[in-house]
Structures are given as C-alpha cells and as structure tokens.
Amino acid sequence: MTTYDEALEWILSRLQFGIKPGLDRMKWILERLGSPEKDLKVIHVGGTNGKGSTVTFIRSILNEAGYKVGTFTSPSIETFNERISINGVPISDNEMVELVRIIKPLTEELETTDLGSLTEFEVITTMAIYYFARINPMDFCVFEVGLGGRLDSTNILEPILTIITTIGFDHMNILGDTIEKIAFEKAGIIKSGIPLITGVEQNSALSVITEKAEKMKADVKILNKDFYESNRLSVNTGERFTFSVDEVTLKNLEIKMLGEHQVKNAALATMAALLLNIQEQHIRNGLLKAFWPGRLEIVQENPLILIDGAHNPEGVEVLVKAVKERYQDKKKKVLFAALRDKDLTKMFKELRKIKGEFYFTQFNSPRIETAQNLAKISLIENGKAYEEWQPILADLMKSLGDDEMLIICGSLYFLAEIKPYLKTYLE
C-alpha cells in the first residue's frame, strides 16, 4: 500500500460488507492495537438529525478555548479525509495511507476468524480512534455516531460526555418502525455515570431516553426543560438567540448556520461547553465561527443557490421552514435526489409545501431511487425527471434570475457528488 488512491480504494472496497451492527469486531481489532480507545477524552454525539452540526459547534468552541480537537463525522461532503479531522482540517493523504498500512493486516487476520470482515465504517472508526490516540494525540475528541447507537461501531468508546440531538424516523429497516424503538437504539450510547445532554422533544422518545439514563445513573440535561434557548432572531448573517441554564444567561449569541434547528444544536453545544468549564467568550467566538457544509449552505448569493442535505422527513421539514422564513420573495426551483430506503412519501409531503418548479435526478449509488420514480412518488404536478444531474444543474444555474433561488437538496451523498462540480462552476 503506497499511494492514497490505493488506500482509499481498499477502504471503499469494504462497502461490499454492508452494515453489520455489533461491537465484537471492534473489540477484537482494538485489543490487537493495544486498546487506544481507552486513551481518548471523548464527547459522543448521537441522534437522528443535527449530529454533524453539533459536533462542529463543540469543536469550534473548544478550539477557541485553545484545545486541540479531533472529530470523526460521516458521511463526507467535500473530501473523504474530512471524516477524520484535526481542528476542522482533514488528515493528510499520507496519514491516511499510514493508517491503512497499520489497519489492513489486522483486518485481513480478523477475516480468518468467526467474526468475519470489518465494514467500511468499522475500518474508518478504527482508523480515527488509533490516529487520535497514537499518531496525533488530542486534548478532546468528538465522535459522531454512524447509525443508531447501541450497536454502532463508535459505541466502543467510553466518553466523558454524551449528547443525543433529536429522534426521528430514519433507517427504520434497521432501527425499528416506531419512535420508541428508534429511541431505544439511540439511547444505547448512554454510559454509566456519564452526563447526558439531549434535544429530543417527543415525550414518548424522551421517556425511553430518561428511563435508560436513570438506569445508568447518568445525569440528564434536557433542552427547554433544564436549559433553554429563547429570543431567536433571524439576521442577515445567521441566527441570534439567548441561552440560559440555572443562574447563567448568555444573551445575543450568534451563529452563521441558518435555521431554528441550528439554534437548538448550538444550545446543546453551549450546554456541553459549560459542563466542560469553557469560558463565555470562547463559547461566543466558537459558535460564531462554526461552519458545517451541506446544511442550509449558501454557495452563491446572487442569484441565490442553497444546498441542504435534507435526507429524511425531519430534515425536509426544517429546510421548508427555513426557506419560508427567509426567502418568501424568491421564486423557487428545486433539484432533488434521494435514496430509495428513505421515507420518501413523508419527505414529499413536506417538500410540496415549497411552491415552485421541481426537478428530480439521481446520482451514483447502489441505493439510489430513480429520477422517474421520484417524480411519480412526489405527486408534484409538472415535476421533471433527469437521469443525469450535470446537464440539468448547468441549465438551472445558467437560467437562474435575480428574483429566483435554486435549492439543491436530498441525500448528503448527492451533495458530496455535486459539491466539486459546483465549486468549479462557481469559481
């Protein structure tokens, strides 16, 4: 293994093993590596939506306080390496090659056992843990759960703080078909005696989480019950709000990420920062500087082009709400692509609330829903289907008027595919 392309090809070849919930393979390989996970100071972030943004807010705040912070997130939007980042900067290609050289022989040895093969996500999780513990030690690490929580490969970690952002209907074929079943899987990351912060709102889901926390003797802080975000105001540069907990009130906090949901994510991060004894000015500066691609991201101001990884019903709901709040005066054009294993019926129920022109397309994925089927399922009159996204995207951007906006949304994997094209086109 000598080149980055070879290393990446080997990592991606693990996709053939699909999703295999369980921690036995992780336990085996980490023991062989000398249990590096035990040397990490981890904040573990799970939930349905808002995980990546919350990770970014926390990382940015800790950076402002002078700490060196490793983050593990998925999927990638701009470069594969960004999944493993230091202070927001992806690891280098050479470091990726070095990690594969270390992990690959053990992975091949594991395949000779009854435990079977590591998945792509398990490989990347292992690489991140080893990198942050042994190659480039961190002051703090913030790990985002991949899928669910209880049986996710990141649940091998013993955190100092746990966060569950929201609970929604996603990955129901794996996590369960009720909000309570999904909450049970998410609550699986709660550890004995480790504080928990959550933004979960549904009473039925919250009761599952608080019951598990009580059983684990984990102190729980619940958004808008134990700590609060209030006085939200949408401003030109983002959002402004007040945070309060007990006798502490932080007025006029500002974030550049758009939407009411981002204020809630920022409040979770602020609560986390206070539990870690971070000073107010570092919290303020960290929140203001935080940026996470693909979440209500404006890639061009005039004419307006906005991209958003609204990949489940709750995600589409917050997208629609933000667009209605901010861009009432704009004529809308929507380019949409999604995976077939999502709840597309509920997603389109929300998306139809945007009045405008709809264009459906598809991208390179074995899980893709075809453009023709998307147009059919959407029940949107005059929606147009295009198998290739490049020509229609180019046409839409060329013809976009000053009084119009283009919304590119759906799967995060779709955004990852088109982001390099947009960057080149708009430069």
PDB file of all heavy atoms in Angstrom, residues 227-256:
ATOM      1  N   PHE A 227     -32.301  23.440  30.463  1.00  0.00           N
ATOM      2  CA  PHE A 227     -31.621  24.608  29.896  1.00  0.00           C
ATOM      3  C   PHE A 227     -32.423  25.063  28.680  1.00  0.00           C
ATOM      4  O   PHE A 227     -33.205  24.287  28.125  1.00  0.00           O
ATOM      5  CB  PHE A 227     -30.157  24.298  29.547  1.00  0.00           C
ATOM      6  CG  PHE A 227     -29.979  23.258  28.461  1.00  0.00           C
ATOM      7  CD1 PHE A 227     -29.684  23.622  27.159  1.00  0.00           C
ATOM      8  CD2 PHE A 227     -30.071  21.902  28.756  1.00  0.00           C
ATOM      9  CE1 PHE A 227     -29.494  22.664  26.170  1.00  0.00           C
ATOM     10  CE2 PHE A 227     -29.890  20.936  27.774  1.00  0.00           C
ATOM     11  CZ  PHE A 227     -29.603  21.323  26.484  1.00  0.00           C
ATOM     12  N   TYR A 228     -32.222  26.323  28.267  1.00  0.00           N
ATOM     13  CA  TYR A 228     -33.174  26.916  27.324  1.00  0.00           C
ATOM     14  C   TYR A 228     -32.487  27.731  26.227  1.00  0.00           C
ATOM     15  O   TYR A 228     -31.443  28.352  26.460  1.00  0.00           O
ATOM     16  CB  TYR A 228     -34.147  27.834  28.079  1.00  0.00           C
ATOM     17  CG  TYR A 228     -34.915  27.132  29.169  1.00  0.00           C
ATOM     18  CD1 TYR A 228     -34.367  26.998  30.447  1.00  0.00           C
ATOM     19  CD2 TYR A 228     -36.159  26.584  28.926  1.00  0.00           C
ATOM     20  CE1 TYR A 228     -35.057  26.340  31.458  1.00  0.00           C
ATOM     21  CE2 TYR A 228     -36.869  25.918  29.923  1.00  0.00           C
ATOM     22  CZ  TYR A 228     -36.312  25.802  31.184  1.00  0.00           C
ATOM     23  OH  TYR A 228     -36.989  25.136  32.171  1.00  0.00           O
ATOM     24  N   GLU A 229     -33.101  27.730  25.062  1.00  0.00           N
ATOM     25  CA  GLU A 229     -32.773  28.693  24.009  1.00  0.00           C
ATOM     26  C   GLU A 229     -34.040  29.513  23.761  1.00  0.00           C
ATOM     27  O   GLU A 229     -35.141  28.968  23.710  1.00  0.00           O
ATOM     28  CB  GLU A 229     -32.259  28.001  22.738  1.00  0.00           C
ATOM     29  CG  GLU A 229     -33.154  26.891  22.169  1.00  0.00           C
ATOM     30  CD  GLU A 229     -34.248  27.392  21.244  1.00  0.00           C
ATOM     31  OE1 GLU A 229     -34.196  28.582  20.846  1.00  0.00           O
ATOM     32  OE2 GLU A 229     -35.145  26.598  20.930  1.00  0.00           O
ATOM     33  N   SER A 230     -33.855  30.835  23.648  1.00  0.00           N
ATOM     34  CA  SER A 230     -35.013  31.707  23.506  1.00  0.00           C
ATOM     35  C   SER A 230     -34.631  32.947  22.702  1.00  0.00           C
ATOM     36  O   SER A 230     -33.471  33.151  22.349  1.00  0.00           O
ATOM     37  CB  SER A 230     -35.550  32.119  24.884  1.00  0.00           C
ATOM     38  OG  SER A 230     -34.538  32.795  25.627  1.00  0.00           O
ATOM     39  N   ASN A 231     -35.644  33.762  22.409  1.00  0.00           N
ATOM     40  CA  ASN A 231     -35.443  35.043  21.719  1.00  0.00           C
ATOM     41  C   ASN A 231     -34.713  34.875  20.386  1.00  0.00           C
ATOM     42  O   ASN A 231     -33.889  35.708  20.004  1.00  0.00           O
ATOM     43  CB  ASN A 231     -34.655  36.037  22.600  1.00  0.00           C
ATOM     44  CG  ASN A 231     -35.343  36.289  23.929  1.00  0.00           C
ATOM     45  OD1 ASN A 231     -36.567  36.324  24.013  1.00  0.00           O
ATOM     46  ND2 ASN A 231     -34.557  36.440  24.982  1.00  0.00           N
ATOM     47  N   ARG A 232     -35.028  33.789  19.685  1.00  0.00           N
ATOM     48  CA  ARG A 232     -34.363  33.576  18.393  1.00  0.00           C
ATOM     49  C   ARG A 232     -34.747  34.663  17.410  1.00  0.00           C
ATOM     50  O   ARG A 232     -35.917  35.022  17.283  1.00  0.00           O
ATOM     51  CB  ARG A 232     -34.735  32.211  17.807  1.00  0.00           C
ATOM     52  CG  ARG A 232     -34.044  31.921  16.461  1.00  0.00           C
ATOM     53  CD  ARG A 232     -34.404  30.551  15.935  1.00  0.00           C
ATOM     54  NE  ARG A 232     -35.761  30.482  15.433  1.00  0.00           N
ATOM     55  CZ  ARG A 232     -36.104  30.729  14.158  1.00  0.00           C
ATOM     56  NH1 ARG A 232     -35.188  31.082  13.284  1.00  0.00           N
ATOM     57  NH2 ARG A 232     -37.368  30.622  13.779  1.00  0.00           N
ATOM     58  N   LEU A 233     -33.754  35.158  16.693  1.00  0.00           N
ATOM     59  CA  LEU A 233     -33.970  36.183  15.677  1.00  0.00           C
ATOM     60  C   LEU A 233     -33.116  35.856  14.464  1.00  0.00           C
ATOM     61  O   LEU A 233     -31.898  35.693  14.573  1.00  0.00           O
ATOM     62  CB  LEU A 233     -33.579  37.560  16.231  1.00  0.00           C
ATOM     63  CG  LEU A 233     -33.705  38.746  15.254  1.00  0.00           C
ATOM     64  CD1 LEU A 233     -35.163  38.987  14.884  1.00  0.00           C
ATOM     65  CD2 LEU A 233     -33.083  39.991  15.865  1.00  0.00           C
ATOM     66  N   SER A 234     -33.764  35.732  13.302  1.00  0.00           N
ATOM     67  CA  SER A 234     -33.013  35.519  12.070  1.00  0.00           C
ATOM     68  C   SER A 234     -32.427  36.851  11.619  1.00  0.00           C
ATOM     69  O   SER A 234     -33.162  37.831  11.449  1.00  0.00           O
ATOM     70  CB  SER A 234     -33.920  34.949  10.977  1.00  0.00           C
ATOM     71  OG  SER A 234     -34.320  33.643  11.306  1.00  0.00           O
ATOM     72  N   VAL A 235     -31.111  36.886  11.447  1.00  0.00           N
ATOM     73  CA  VAL A 235     -30.419  38.083  10.977  1.00  0.00           C
ATOM     74  C   VAL A 235     -29.752  37.759   9.651  1.00  0.00           C
ATOM     75  O   VAL A 235     -29.703  36.599   9.235  1.00  0.00           O
ATOM     76  CB  VAL A 235     -29.383  38.571  12.016  1.00  0.00           C
ATOM     77  CG1 VAL A 235     -30.079  39.036  13.281  1.00  0.00           C
ATOM     78  CG2 VAL A 235     -28.378  37.471  12.349  1.00  0.00           C
ATOM     79  N   ASN A 236     -29.250  38.778   8.980  1.00  0.00           N
ATOM     80  CA  ASN A 236     -28.669  38.577   7.652  1.00  0.00           C
ATOM     81  C   ASN A 236     -27.546  37.539   7.653  1.00  0.00           C
ATOM     82  O   ASN A 236     -27.390  36.771   6.699  1.00  0.00           O
ATOM     83  CB  ASN A 236     -28.136  39.899   7.094  1.00  0.00           C
ATOM     84  CG  ASN A 236     -29.265  40.843   6.694  1.00  0.00           C
ATOM     85  OD1 ASN A 236     -30.387  40.393   6.426  1.00  0.00           O
ATOM     86  ND2 ASN A 236     -28.986  42.136   6.667  1.00  0.00           N
ATOM     87  N   THR A 237     -26.772  37.515   8.719  1.00  0.00           N
ATOM     88  CA  THR A 237     -25.607  36.631   8.768  1.00  0.00           C
ATOM     89  C   THR A 237     -25.894  35.267   9.382  1.00  0.00           C
ATOM     90  O   THR A 237     -25.015  34.408   9.417  1.00  0.00           O
ATOM     91  CB  THR A 237     -24.482  37.300   9.584  1.00  0.00           C
ATOM     92  OG1 THR A 237     -24.995  37.682  10.866  1.00  0.00           O
ATOM     93  CG2 THR A 237     -23.955  38.531   8.859  1.00  0.00           C
ATOM     94  N   GLY A 238     -27.106  35.047   9.887  1.00  0.00           N
ATOM     95  CA  GLY A 238     -27.418  33.761  10.501  1.00  0.00           C
ATOM     96  C   GLY A 238     -28.549  33.853  11.501  1.00  0.00           C
ATOM     97  O   GLY A 238     -29.643  34.315  11.181  1.00  0.00           O
ATOM     98  N   GLU A 239     -28.280  33.437  12.739  1.00  0.00           N
ATOM     99  CA  GLU A 239     -29.293  33.441  13.792  1.00  0.00           C
ATOM    100  C   GLU A 239     -28.699  34.048  15.072  1.00  0.00           C
ATOM    101  O   GLU A 239     -27.514  33.918  15.343  1.00  0.00           O
ATOM    102  CB  GLU A 239     -29.769  32.011  14.106  1.00  0.00           C
ATOM    103  CG  GLU A 239     -30.183  31.185  12.904  1.00  0.00           C
ATOM    104  CD  GLU A 239     -31.509  31.600  12.289  1.00  0.00           C
ATOM    105  OE1 GLU A 239     -32.264  32.338  12.958  1.00  0.00           O
ATOM    106  OE2 GLU A 239     -31.781  31.191  11.145  1.00  0.00           O
ATOM    107  N   ARG A 240     -29.574  34.679  15.850  1.00  0.00           N
ATOM    108  CA  ARG A 240     -29.179  35.242  17.146  1.00  0.00           C
ATOM    109  C   ARG A 240     -30.141  34.699  18.196  1.00  0.00           C
ATOM    110  O   ARG A 240     -31.339  34.584  17.947  1.00  0.00           O
ATOM    111  CB  ARG A 240     -29.236  36.765  17.096  1.00  0.00           C
ATOM    112  CG  ARG A 240     -28.727  37.462  18.356  1.00  0.00           C
ATOM    113  CD  ARG A 240     -28.821  38.977  18.189  1.00  0.00           C
ATOM    114  NE  ARG A 240     -27.965  39.445  17.107  1.00  0.00           N
ATOM    115  CZ  ARG A 240     -28.224  40.515  16.354  1.00  0.00           C
ATOM    116  NH1 ARG A 240     -29.326  41.224  16.566  1.00  0.00           N
ATOM    117  NH2 ARG A 240     -27.391  40.874  15.396  1.00  0.00           N
ATOM    118  N   PHE A 241     -29.631  34.373  19.405  1.00  0.00           N
ATOM    119  CA  PHE A 241     -30.503  33.793  20.424  1.00  0.00           C
ATOM    120  C   PHE A 241     -29.918  34.004  21.814  1.00  0.00           C
ATOM    121  O   PHE A 241     -28.769  34.429  21.984  1.00  0.00           O
ATOM    122  CB  PHE A 241     -30.728  32.304  20.161  1.00  0.00           C
ATOM    123  CG  PHE A 241     -29.512  31.430  20.384  1.00  0.00           C
ATOM    124  CD1 PHE A 241     -29.385  30.665  21.530  1.00  0.00           C
ATOM    125  CD2 PHE A 241     -28.500  31.356  19.434  1.00  0.00           C
ATOM    126  CE1 PHE A 241     -28.281  29.858  21.745  1.00  0.00           C
ATOM    127  CE2 PHE A 241     -27.386  30.547  19.628  1.00  0.00           C
ATOM    128  CZ  PHE A 241     -27.273  29.792  20.781  1.00  0.00           C
ATOM    129  N   THR A 242     -30.729  33.677  22.813  1.00  0.00           N
ATOM    130  CA  THR A 242     -30.320  33.719  24.222  1.00  0.00           C
ATOM    131  C   THR A 242     -30.270  32.298  24.764  1.00  0.00           C
ATOM    132  O   THR A 242     -31.172  31.494  24.496  1.00  0.00           O
ATOM    133  CB  THR A 242     -31.305  34.556  25.057  1.00  0.00           C
ATOM    134  OG1 THR A 242     -31.271  35.913  24.608  1.00  0.00           O
ATOM    135  CG2 THR A 242     -30.954  34.517  26.538  1.00  0.00           C
ATOM    136  N   PHE A 243     -29.230  32.001  25.509  1.00  0.00           N
ATOM    137  CA  PHE A 243     -29.097  30.701  26.170  1.00  0.00           C
ATOM    138  C   PHE A 243     -29.181  30.915  27.677  1.00  0.00           C
ATOM    139  O   PHE A 243     -28.594  31.862  28.211  1.00  0.00           O
ATOM    140  CB  PHE A 243     -27.752  30.050  25.826  1.00  0.00           C
ATOM    141  CG  PHE A 243     -27.484  28.776  26.584  1.00  0.00           C
ATOM    142  CD1 PHE A 243     -27.825  27.553  26.047  1.00  0.00           C
ATOM    143  CD2 PHE A 243     -26.899  28.814  27.853  1.00  0.00           C
ATOM    144  CE1 PHE A 243     -27.594  26.380  26.753  1.00  0.00           C
ATOM    145  CE2 PHE A 243     -26.664  27.642  28.564  1.00  0.00           C
ATOM    146  CZ  PHE A 243     -27.017  26.422  28.013  1.00  0.00           C
ATOM    147  N   SER A 244     -29.884  30.020  28.371  1.00  0.00           N
ATOM    148  CA  SER A 244     -29.956  30.138  29.834  1.00  0.00           C
ATOM    149  C   SER A 244     -30.008  28.768  30.490  1.00  0.00           C
ATOM    150  O   SER A 244     -30.614  27.832  29.970  1.00  0.00           O
ATOM    151  CB  SER A 244     -31.186  30.961  30.245  1.00  0.00           C
ATOM    152  OG  SER A 244     -32.378  30.391  29.728  1.00  0.00           O
ATOM    153  N   VAL A 245     -29.320  28.686  31.621  1.00  0.00           N
ATOM    154  CA  VAL A 245     -29.363  27.491  32.462  1.00  0.00           C
ATOM    155  C   VAL A 245     -29.079  27.935  33.892  1.00  0.00           C
ATOM    156  O   VAL A 245     -28.105  28.648  34.162  1.00  0.00           O
ATOM    157  CB  VAL A 245     -28.350  26.420  31.999  1.00  0.00           C
ATOM    158  CG1 VAL A 245     -26.924  26.949  32.006  1.00  0.00           C
ATOM    159  CG2 VAL A 245     -28.462  25.162  32.857  1.00  0.00           C
ATOM    160  N   ASP A 246     -29.960  27.552  34.806  1.00  0.00           N
ATOM    161  CA  ASP A 246     -29.824  27.959  36.213  1.00  0.00           C
ATOM    162  C   ASP A 246     -29.634  29.475  36.297  1.00  0.00           C
ATOM    163  O   ASP A 246     -30.457  30.214  35.795  1.00  0.00           O
ATOM    164  CB  ASP A 246     -28.671  27.195  36.870  1.00  0.00           C
ATOM    165  CG  ASP A 246     -28.884  25.688  36.852  1.00  0.00           C
ATOM    166  OD1 ASP A 246     -30.056  25.265  36.903  1.00  0.00           O
ATOM    167  OD2 ASP A 246     -27.894  24.947  36.757  1.00  0.00           O
ATOM    168  N   GLU A 247     -28.526  29.934  36.911  1.00  0.00           N
ATOM    169  CA  GLU A 247     -28.319  31.382  37.055  1.00  0.00           C
ATOM    170  C   GLU A 247     -27.539  31.984  35.892  1.00  0.00           C
ATOM    171  O   GLU A 247     -27.236  33.177  35.881  1.00  0.00           O
ATOM    172  CB  GLU A 247     -27.558  31.694  38.361  1.00  0.00           C
ATOM    173  CG  GLU A 247     -28.335  31.432  39.638  1.00  0.00           C
ATOM    174  CD  GLU A 247     -28.302  29.971  40.036  1.00  0.00           C
ATOM    175  OE1 GLU A 247     -27.297  29.295  39.759  1.00  0.00           O
ATOM    176  OE2 GLU A 247     -29.316  29.496  40.586  1.00  0.00           O
ATOM    177  N   VAL A 248     -27.194  31.169  34.915  1.00  0.00           N
ATOM    178  CA  VAL A 248     -26.378  31.638  33.783  1.00  0.00           C
ATOM    179  C   VAL A 248     -27.275  32.026  32.614  1.00  0.00           C
ATOM    180  O   VAL A 248     -28.118  31.248  32.178  1.00  0.00           O
ATOM    181  CB  VAL A 248     -25.385  30.550  33.326  1.00  0.00           C
ATOM    182  CG1 VAL A 248     -24.608  31.014  32.090  1.00  0.00           C
ATOM    183  CG2 VAL A 248     -24.434  30.197  34.449  1.00  0.00           C
ATOM    184  N   THR A 249     -27.099  33.250  32.095  1.00  0.00           N
ATOM    185  CA  THR A 249     -27.808  33.700  30.897  1.00  0.00           C
ATOM    186  C   THR A 249     -26.798  34.313  29.931  1.00  0.00           C
ATOM    187  O   THR A 249     -26.052  35.224  30.292  1.00  0.00           O
ATOM    188  CB  THR A 249     -28.888  34.747  31.235  1.00  0.00           C
ATOM    189  OG1 THR A 249     -29.845  34.162  32.118  1.00  0.00           O
ATOM    190  CG2 THR A 249     -29.600  35.205  29.973  1.00  0.00           C
ATOM    191  N   LEU A 250     -26.764  33.799  28.728  1.00  0.00           N
ATOM    192  CA  LEU A 250     -25.874  34.317  27.688  1.00  0.00           C
ATOM    193  C   LEU A 250     -26.745  34.928  26.589  1.00  0.00           C
ATOM    194  O   LEU A 250     -27.396  34.217  25.827  1.00  0.00           O
ATOM    195  CB  LEU A 250     -24.997  33.190  27.108  1.00  0.00           C
ATOM    196  CG  LEU A 250     -24.169  32.381  28.112  1.00  0.00           C
ATOM    197  CD1 LEU A 250     -23.356  31.314  27.395  1.00  0.00           C
ATOM    198  CD2 LEU A 250     -23.252  33.286  28.931  1.00  0.00           C
ATOM    199  N   LYS A 251     -26.773  36.248  26.529  1.00  0.00           N
ATOM    200  CA  LYS A 251     -27.620  36.953  25.569  1.00  0.00           C
ATOM    201  C   LYS A 251     -26.875  37.211  24.256  1.00  0.00           C
ATOM    202  O   LYS A 251     -25.651  37.317  24.235  1.00  0.00           O
ATOM    203  CB  LYS A 251     -28.101  38.280  26.161  1.00  0.00           C
ATOM    204  CG  LYS A 251     -29.010  38.129  27.367  1.00  0.00           C
ATOM    205  CD  LYS A 251     -29.482  39.487  27.864  1.00  0.00           C
ATOM    206  CE  LYS A 251     -30.427  39.344  29.055  1.00  0.00           C
ATOM    207  NZ  LYS A 251     -30.869  40.667  29.557  1.00  0.00           N
ATOM    208  N   ASN A 252     -27.661  37.311  23.184  1.00  0.00           N
ATOM    209  CA  ASN A 252     -27.134  37.697  21.866  1.00  0.00           C
ATOM    210  C   ASN A 252     -26.006  36.802  21.372  1.00  0.00           C
ATOM    211  O   ASN A 252     -25.031  37.268  20.786  1.00  0.00           O
ATOM    212  CB  ASN A 252     -26.669  39.163  21.887  1.00  0.00           C
ATOM    213  CG  ASN A 252     -27.817  40.120  22.141  1.00  0.00           C
ATOM    214  OD1 ASN A 252     -28.921  39.937  21.627  1.00  0.00           O
ATOM    215  ND2 ASN A 252     -27.575  41.138  22.954  1.00  0.00           N
ATOM    216  N   LEU A 253     -26.152  35.500  21.598  1.00  0.00           N
ATOM    217  CA  LEU A 253     -25.248  34.545  20.969  1.00  0.00           C
ATOM    218  C   LEU A 253     -25.574  34.510  19.476  1.00  0.00           C
ATOM    219  O   LEU A 253     -26.745  34.583  19.090  1.00  0.00           O
ATOM    220  CB  LEU A 253     -25.420  33.148  21.569  1.00  0.00           C
ATOM    221  CG  LEU A 253     -25.044  32.983  23.050  1.00  0.00           C
ATOM    222  CD1 LEU A 253     -25.395  31.582  23.516  1.00  0.00           C
ATOM    223  CD2 LEU A 253     -23.578  33.275  23.280  1.00  0.00           C
ATOM    224  N   GLU A 254     -24.556  34.378  18.636  1.00  0.00           N
ATOM    225  CA  GLU A 254     -24.792  34.379  17.187  1.00  0.00           C
ATOM    226  C   GLU A 254     -24.138  33.178  16.529  1.00  0.00           C
ATOM    227  O   GLU A 254     -23.057  32.737  16.928  1.00  0.00           O
ATOM    228  CB  GLU A 254     -24.257  35.668  16.554  1.00  0.00           C
ATOM    229  CG  GLU A 254     -25.103  36.891  16.888  1.00  0.00           C
ATOM    230  CD  GLU A 254     -24.797  38.079  15.972  1.00  0.00           C
ATOM    231  OE1 GLU A 254     -24.324  37.858  14.841  1.00  0.00           O
ATOM    232  OE2 GLU A 254     -25.039  39.219  16.410  1.00  0.00           O
ATOM    233  N   ILE A 255     -24.833  32.642  15.523  1.00  0.00           N
ATOM    234  CA  ILE A 255     -24.291  31.574  14.682  1.00  0.00           C
ATOM    235  C   ILE A 255     -24.493  31.956  13.228  1.00  0.00           C
ATOM    236  O   ILE A 255     -25.415  32.711  12.891  1.00  0.00           O
ATOM    237  CB  ILE A 255     -24.974  30.216  14.974  1.00  0.00           C
ATOM    238  CG1 ILE A 255     -26.500  30.308  14.770  1.00  0.00           C
ATOM    239  CG2 ILE A 255     -24.644  29.741  16.382  1.00  0.00           C
ATOM    240  CD1 ILE A 255     -27.221  28.974  14.890  1.00  0.00           C
ATOM    241  N   LYS A 256     -23.635  31.437  12.364  1.00  0.00           N
ATOM    242  CA  LYS A 256     -23.750  31.719  10.935  1.00  0.00           C
ATOM    243  C   LYS A 256     -24.576  30.668  10.211  1.00  0.00           C
ATOM    244  O   LYS A 256     -25.030  30.900   9.088  1.00  0.00           O
ATOM    245  CB  LYS A 256     -22.354  31.814  10.311  1.00  0.00           C
ATOM    246  CG  LYS A 256     -21.588  33.053  10.753  1.00  0.00           C
ATOM    247  CD  LYS A 256     -20.199  33.105  10.133  1.00  0.00           C
ATOM    248  CE  LYS A 256     -19.462  34.355  10.587  1.00  0.00           C
ATOM    249  NZ  LYS A 256     -18.054  34.380  10.113  1.00  0.00           N
TER     250      LYS A 256
END
